[in-house]
Amino acid sequence: MKQTNAAGREVPNEVNGRVAKPFVGVGLSKPGGRKQGPPIRSCADYPANGDKRTASLREAIERSGLKSGGTVSTHHHLRNGDLLAAPLFAALENLGIRDLVWMPSALFPCHAELIPYLERGVIRRIEGSLNGPLGEFVSHGGMPDYAVLRSHGGRYRAIQDGDVQIDLAVIAAPACDAFGNSTGTLGPSACGSLGFAFADAQYAEHAIAVTDCLVPFPCIPMQIAGNLIDQVVEVDRIGDPSQIVSGTTQLTRSPDRLLISELAAAFVDAAGILQEGFSFQAGAGGISLAFTVFLQDRMRRKGIRASYVRGGSTRVLVEMLEEGLAGAILDGQSFDAAAVASLRDNPRHVATSPFNSYNYHGKGNVASMLDCAILGATEVDLEFNANVATHSDGMMLHGLGGWPDALFSGCTILAAPSFRNRIPIIRERVTTLCGPGELVDVVVTERGIAINPRRQDLFERVSGSGLPIRTLEEIKAEADAICGIPEEPAFGDRVVGVIEWVDGTILDSVREVLK
């Protein structure tokens, strides 16, 4: 059975055995009840000397009490260098544990090796953002249940609210002591912040920290407290450092993308956002990095200092902090070696989690306090609705990340080329709805800047600036004239995934892509 939500999208009545609440509008679904409670434990059940080490991952799983049909969570701090997920599921299969729900915070191409565990029924479904080969596998109907795609904040909310009960959290800890205190800033697999595992450590029935760098107690700075950890397992390697962080994150070299970045920075300036004490979020993509460099130059020339910046940290943000152009970095994840070192050494560079950055069911969050956020998109339609999860071919090839959460900034700017691989990104209707158009304020392309008609204040602020202000219709017409209008993908009737909005309601369905 299906229902039509407030965004005009057809969504299931039930998702993986739970009643599905359709999206009713931004801010209109109000929560009730109380937060999920983890089981009460006693110090009498743990070693008095604080040594929680267990000899092997297999033994730790056995001691956790995990059964077939349970939910296992992992985290993407190690990114494409993750060497823990594969041995974890190998151990689960060897123990005869099957039919599992896997709840990763995100996936990367390296996780393609987990596809056989889906095929053999060890993993029944994935509740987490899909990427690359796994996304393609699920898009073609390879999983029996619905994939549930949530934002980083939405994932925290779902765990906190009890929508998902995690039976076993397996946390990759780049450095850890025998008690379980863990940090991501030390060790051969150093990755930066461990914030994405915070909800799991808080609420899981059982939590195991796995490390390749056991340090003496106390592990400092501790990002996850050992009081939340049941067992510690030491292994040879949890990650490939060359794939965890890059030496330097690369700016785009594309003239078109550099133009987009420069236009976005010019817009922020002309709109009056660039003021003393402002705040912003920008990611680690080539356009976002270049935007930050252009913004940095304007800040220097005007003598303006940001109160704080947030998001995935990079060497560019670290330079701003060290130069005094930013008062602090609130770090959700660290994308390069300079960011990891800064998080370790600079007290103004602070690790955060989706709890304080993004969680929609909390007493406020940082995302809504930002003056502006610079984000990307795979598609935007004429109503400013946007897509980041699928391409125009319908394939689930990207995670939602913190993108939906950051839409609540004071000015949300989508910076993207007008077409990719000769496929226009501006469409009559986005293939998959990931963000309602009322939260998208500006779209910046190499062909001009489109301001959402809802934001007449922005029109007034940039009037007379000389910026190329255009409509989405005009930009779309130009891109279509160059590329042509692509054919619609061939979808089957079966729904293979759902996009969950930050409040837990269902924003859209993802249908099977026919081969």
Side-chain angles (χ1 to χ4, degrees):
M1 296 290 291
K2 298 177 182 178
Q3 54 193 325
T4 301
N5 66 17
R9 298 280 171 152
E10 200 172 69
V11 298
N13 286 322
E14 184 179 285
V15 173
N16 300 328
R18 295 181 66 247
V19 174
K21 299 177 182 177
F23 174 73
V24 293
V26 175
L28 298 181
S29 177
K30 303 299 182 183
R34 294 184 174 273
K35 294 179 182 179
Q36 172 75 10
I40 297 171
R41 303 298 189 195
S42 168
C43 287
D45 296 326
Y46 295 86
N49 65 358
D51 190 343
K52 300 177 184 177
R53 285 177 292 177
T54 301
S56 68
L57 185 57
R58 178 190 173 103
E59 182 183 339
I61 294 168
E62 288 181 302
R63 290 177 59 183
S64 77
L66 181 71
K67 306 295 184 185
S68 292
T71 297
V72 176
S73 71
T74 60
H75 315 92
H76 73 283
H77 304 111
L78 303 180
R79 287 181 278 278
N80 206 40
D82 182 5
L83 299 179
L84 180 57
L88 168 63
F89 282 98
L92 290 165
E93 184 173 41
N94 288 337
L95 287 168
I97 301 173
R98 302 174 51 80
D99 222 25
L100 293 165
V101 177
W102 181 21
M103 195 180 183
S105 57
L107 296 173
F108 281 80
C110 67
H111 296 115
E113 60 186 328
L114 278 299
I115 291 175
Y117 294 96
L118 277 161
E119 294 173 324
R120 294 196 294 267
V122 178
I123 302 170
R124 178 174 180 82
R125 72 172 178 269
I126 298 171
E127 296 211 7
S129 292
L130 296 167
N131 193 312
L134 264 168
E136 184 174 353
F137 177 80
V138 174
S139 293
H140 286 314
M143 199 166 72
D145 292 348
Y146 295 145
V148 182
L149 278 64
R150 298 182 176 94
S151 68
H152 289 325
R155 181 180 187 274
Y156 187 97
R157 182 215 57 77
I159 297 170
Q160 168 195 273
D161 292 3
D163 292 355
V164 177
Q165 172 59 60
I166 295 174
D167 297 299
L168 175 62
V170 180
I171 300 170
C176 182
D177 59 35
F179 184 60
N181 297 311
S182 305
T183 184
T185 59
L186 303 172
S189 300
C191 62
S193 172
L194 296 182
F196 294 112
F198 187 57
D200 312 61
Q202 278 183 300
Y203 293 106
E205 293 288 310
H206 197 93
I208 301 171
V210 182
T211 189
D212 56 8
C213 182
L214 193 73
V215 298
F217 179 92
C219 176
I220 297 173
M222 61 183 76
Q223 295 175 349
I224 293 178
N227 307 71
L228 300 173
I229 300 299
D230 293 281
Q231 299 180 76
V232 174
V233 176
E234 190 176 6
V235 297
D236 292 335
R237 294 178 75 200
I238 61 170
D240 175 358
S242 69
Q243 298 296 309
I244 297 172
V245 291
S246 64
T248 57
T249 314
Q250 297 299 312
L251 278 74
T252 181
R253 294 183 179 180
S254 162
D256 282 352
R257 284 162 172 75
L258 285 171
L259 175 59
I260 294 166
S261 305
E262 189 169 14
L263 285 173
F267 181 88
V268 169
D269 192 352
I273 298 168
L274 189 60
Q275 296 184 13
E276 180 65 24
F278 83 111
S279 59
F280 73 93
Q281 173 172 329
I287 291 177
S288 292
L289 274 175
F291 160 81
T292 305
V293 170
F294 285 119
L295 193 70
Q296 187 179 32
D297 182 58
R298 288 175 178 268
M299 291 170 68
R300 285 195 191 104
R301 285 190 276 115
K302 292 192 166 192
I304 288 174
R305 178 178 181 268
S307 56
Y308 66 92
V309 295
R310 85 144 317 277
S313 63
T314 63
R315 63 178 176 84
V316 180
L317 294 186
V318 168
E319 289 169 3
M320 290 183 67
L321 180 65
E322 293 176 345
E323 191 178 337
L325 292 175
I329 298 175
L330 304 182
D331 191 341
Q333 55 183 316
S334 312
F335 284 113
D336 56 32
V340 174
S342 175
L343 181 62
R344 181 189 65 229
D345 299 333
N346 193 328
R348 302 297 299 174
H349 189 157
V350 181
T352 64
S353 78
F355 167 68
N356 47 31
S357 295
Y358 291 146
N359 179 25
Y360 194 67
H361 285 175
K363 299 175 182 179
N365 62 39
V366 174
S368 62
M369 298 164 59
L370 291 164
D371 290 307
C372 69
I374 311 301
L375 310 171
T378 57
E379 295 179 328
V380 182
D381 69 23
L382 297 178
E383 300 298 322
F384 284 79
N385 298 305
N387 176 16
V388 290
T390 66
H391 287 249
S392 296
D393 60 5
M395 301 292 288
M396 289 186 282
L397 298 180
H398 298 284
L400 294 177
W403 185 93
D405 309 301
L407 293 177
F408 290 88
S409 75
C411 181
T412 298
I413 301 171
L414 303 186
S418 60
F419 57 86
R420 296 187 182 93
N421 301 319
R422 297 194 65 80
I423 298 177
I425 71 152
I426 301 173
R427 299 170 56 84
E428 292 287 341
R429 187 174 192 261
V430 288
T431 304
T432 306
L433 178 60
C434 299
E438 66 189 271
L439 295 178
V440 175
D441 301 303
V442 183
V443 176
V444 180
T445 77
E446 78 285 6
R447 298 182 185 282
I449 301 171
I451 301 174
N452 193 323
R454 293 172 177 265
R455 293 300 306 268
Q456 287 301 310
D457 59 320
L458 294 177
F459 278 106
E460 292 169 6
R461 288 187 213 169
V462 301
S463 176
S465 65
L467 291 173
I469 306 300
R470 310 185 67 193
T471 66
L472 280 181
E473 286 82 358
E474 290 170 335
I475 298 171
K476 179 180 187 300
E478 277 194 14
D480 289 348
I482 294 169
C483 304
I485 299 175
E487 292 184 9
E488 292 295 321
F491 289 118
D493 292 332
R494 182 186 165 200
V495 172
V496 296
V498 294
I499 307 296
E500 191 173 278
W501 183 234
V502 297
D503 59 6
T505 59
I506 305 302
L507 186 58
D508 205 357
S509 302
V510 182
R511 288 189 294 156
E512 179 182 5
V513 179
L514 300 178
K515 295 182 180 180

